[in-house]
Structure formats: structure tokens, C-alpha cells
Amino acid sequence: MPVLPGAEPYRHEGGEVGVLLCHGFTGSPQSMRPWAEHLAARGLTVSLPLLPGHGTRWEDLAITGWQDWYAEVDRAFEELSERCSQVFVCGLSMGGALALRLAARHGDKVAGLVLVNPGNKVHGAAAHALPVARHLVRTIPGIASDIAKEGSVEVAYDRVPLHAAHQLRNFFRLVDRELPQVTQPLVVLHSPQDHVVPPADSARVLGRVSSRDVTEILLEQSYHVATLDHDADRIFEESVAFIDRLADGADDGSGTGTDTGVEGTASGG
């Protein structure tokens, strides 16, 4: 199945410090592409994979599970770890949960985490009905493009397969149990006005991790997909400052290296 224009994975070969970016549920690398390119321009080695079942059509997502999504970011992380002396992990929404599980399982191999509106729970009464409802109803309306910035659009599905939503619920519950195992330096940036993931999820993450080096930043001008919203530049700058502070051998910022991925269609509006 062809990948949607703009949803292609992205890779940049830079210096010895690597960054893995994880996109969200029903979304695609397009939501993270400007962030990835900002990091690449600072000379970092960057990997932004496309999660299985994403970036094509919702029917493909309906036949995947959380193990597939996690396996892809774990593979990308191991690849970066072999290439780089340090690896940082960034995530948006469900990508934040994927990043947290990488941190819980890989320990000191993860140098630090930057999370934007991380998901922690499927909310509402419907969540409790998912185990049964997924056998009766195939899809519900999508959650894409929760963005305050006019003209900015997320490349994501317009339907949510309930089988995949059930998988997401199970994954969030698993990651929540593992949060005390997360000890790495952590930045959580979240939007008070988020119509997909409530601020309570970020509060839950901040309250359960064991990290001692923790920074919380409010994104007052953005909704859920803040990486394509008014606060995008702040996210990018804060992540670079965080990585620069913790990197053993920070790159010189020359921006040299090579990109793989389609250019031009991934900026999200």
C-alpha cells in the first residue's frame, strides 16, 4: 500500500549524538518532520520511523497491535545506538508512551526524553466498552489535526479503528505500570488546551516517573499536535537546549550530513 504524501519516514546522518522521534496514534512522521529537520540542521543524527499500520489507510492500522508499533521504535533505537555514542528519544502523544517504554526497558542507553502531550490513558466511558465494542463497530471518527494554527494540517487518518484503539488502551496501561522504571532526564511539554489528550496525562507521567532531572513546560498557544502549531519553534529550541546540556560530545552544529525521505510535503501546512 503506497504511503500517503508527506507521511514518509525520515533519516539524517549527522554526528555522534542521535535522536529518535516517535509519532502519534493514527498520525505519521509528517507531524514530527519539522522537528526532525530542525535537529538535523544542528548536526544531530536523526531517525523518524513510520509506525506499522500508519501513513497508508486506516484499514492497515486495524490489523496491527501495540507490539508492532513498539517493535518498530525499538528497532530504530537499536540502530541509532549502534551508530551513535548517545541517543535521545522524543515523542508526541502515543509517541510519548513509546518513548517512555524505551526508557523503562533500555535504561541508561536512553540519554534523555522530550515528550509533547504524552498519552497515558484512553479516557471516557467508551474506553471501558472497547473490548466488546470493537467487535460490533469497526471505526469511529478520527482525532487528527487538533491544531490552533490556521492552515496547519496533520497527515493522519480520518477514522480510528476500534481494534487499534483497544490495542492503544492496553499499551497505555502497560506503560503506566512501567513509569517508575523511568529514571532519565525528562522534559514534558504539554498544552492546557488539548482536545485529544488531557493535561491529566502529562501530570500522571510527571507524578509516576523516577526521574530527578525533570522540566515541565506549558504550550499556551497550541492544541494537541503542538509540533505543527504556534509553539513548534519553542519545542524545537527547548529540545536542542536539553540535548546540548546533556550531550557528552555535542556536535558542532554544522548541519552537515545526508537526509533520506521525501522533501517538501512534510511541513504540515
Side-chain angles (χ1 to χ4, degrees), residues 170-183:
N170 291 343
F171 181 60
F172 280 163
R173 295 173 75 178
L174 172 68
V175 173
D176 187 68
R177 293 194 297 269
E178 294 179 341
L179 288 178
Q181 300 172 41
V182 176
T183 60

Side-chain angles (χ1 to χ4, degrees), residues 140-172:
I140 58 174
I143 54 174
S145 294
D146 185 37
I147 303 170
K149 185 178 181 180
E150 186 175 354
S152 188
V153 178
E154 180 186 14
V155 175
Y157 296 146
D158 61 1
R159 306 294 299 178
V160 177
L162 286 196
H163 167 78
H166 179 62
Q167 288 290 311
L168 178 66
R169 176 178 179 261
N170 291 343
F171 181 60
F172 280 163

Side-chain angles (χ1 to χ4, degrees), residues 23-27 51 54 61 69 92-95 143 154 156 160-161 164-166 168:
H23 70 76
F25 181 65
T26 77
L51 300 180
H54 291 74
L61 182 59
W69 313 330
L92 167 67
S93 193
M94 180 186 75
I143 54 174
E154 180 186 14
V160 177
H166 179 62
L168 178 66

Side-chain angles (χ1 to χ4, degrees), residues 196-209:
V196 177
V197 173
D201 283 29
S202 290
R204 174 78 175 179
V205 169
L206 289 165
R208 283 182 58 75
V209 296

Side-chain angles (χ1 to χ4, degrees), residues 12-238:
H12 173 85
E13 294 296 332
E16 288 299 311
V17 177
V19 185
L20 171 64
L21 296 100
C22 309
H23 70 76
F25 181 65
T26 77
S28 73
Q30 177 260 356
S31 64
M32 310 284 278
R33 180 67 174 263
W35 191 0
E37 292 178 342
H38 185 90
L39 296 169
R42 298 307 185 273
L44 300 163
T45 292
V46 180
S47 177
L48 171 53
L50 173 63
L51 300 180
H54 291 74
T56 53
R57 56 178 192 160
W58 66 259
E59 289 89 348
D60 296 327
L61 182 59
I63 57 174
T64 63
W66 70 259
Q67 295 92 340
D68 302 308
W69 313 330
Y70 180 75
E72 179 60 20
V73 296
D74 190 69
R75 179 204 62 76
F77 176 79
E78 291 288 5
E79 188 177 73
L80 275 179
S81 296
E82 293 174 3
R83 160 73 174 78
C84 300
S85 60
Q86 282 182 292
V87 179
F88 293 82
V89 184
C90 305
L92 167 67
S93 193
M94 180 186 75
L98 291 167
L100 286 162
R101 184 153 212 253
L102 285 170
R105 292 178 66 87
H106 288 284
D108 291 342
K109 287 180 69 176
V110 175
L113 299 170
V114 182
L115 311 180
V116 178
N117 292 321
N120 177 258
K121 182 180 180 181
V122 175
H123 294 268
H128 300 289
L130 275 174
V132 175
R134 66 194 174 108
H135 298 296
L136 305 173
V137 180
R138 246 191 128 185
T139 69
I140 58 174
I143 54 174
S145 294
D146 185 37
I147 303 170
K149 185 178 181 180
E150 186 175 354
S152 188
V153 178
E154 180 186 14
V155 175
Y157 296 146
D158 61 1
R159 306 294 299 178
V160 177
L162 286 196
H163 167 78
H166 179 62
Q167 288 290 311
L168 178 66
R169 176 178 179 261
N170 291 343
F171 181 60
F172 280 163
R173 295 173 75 178
L174 172 68
V175 173
D176 187 68
R177 293 194 297 269
E178 294 179 341
L179 288 178
Q181 300 172 41
V182 176
T183 60
Q184 295 88 342
L186 170 67
V187 178
V188 175
L189 305 102
H190 64 96
S191 306
Q193 296 187 72
D194 186 328
H195 307 98
V196 177
V197 173
D201 283 29
S202 290
R204 174 78 175 179
V205 169
L206 289 165
R208 283 182 58 75
V209 296
S210 299
S211 305
R212 301 183 69 179
D213 181 347
V214 177
T215 303
E216 179 182 13
I217 298 170
L218 295 183
L219 305 174
E220 300 278 3
Q221 302 180 70
S222 301
Y223 295 162
H224 182 61
V225 191
T227 51
L228 298 178
D229 216 326
H230 293 295
D231 291 297
D233 286 344
R234 185 175 188 194
I235 295 169
F236 306 163
E237 291 162 6
E238 292 285 357

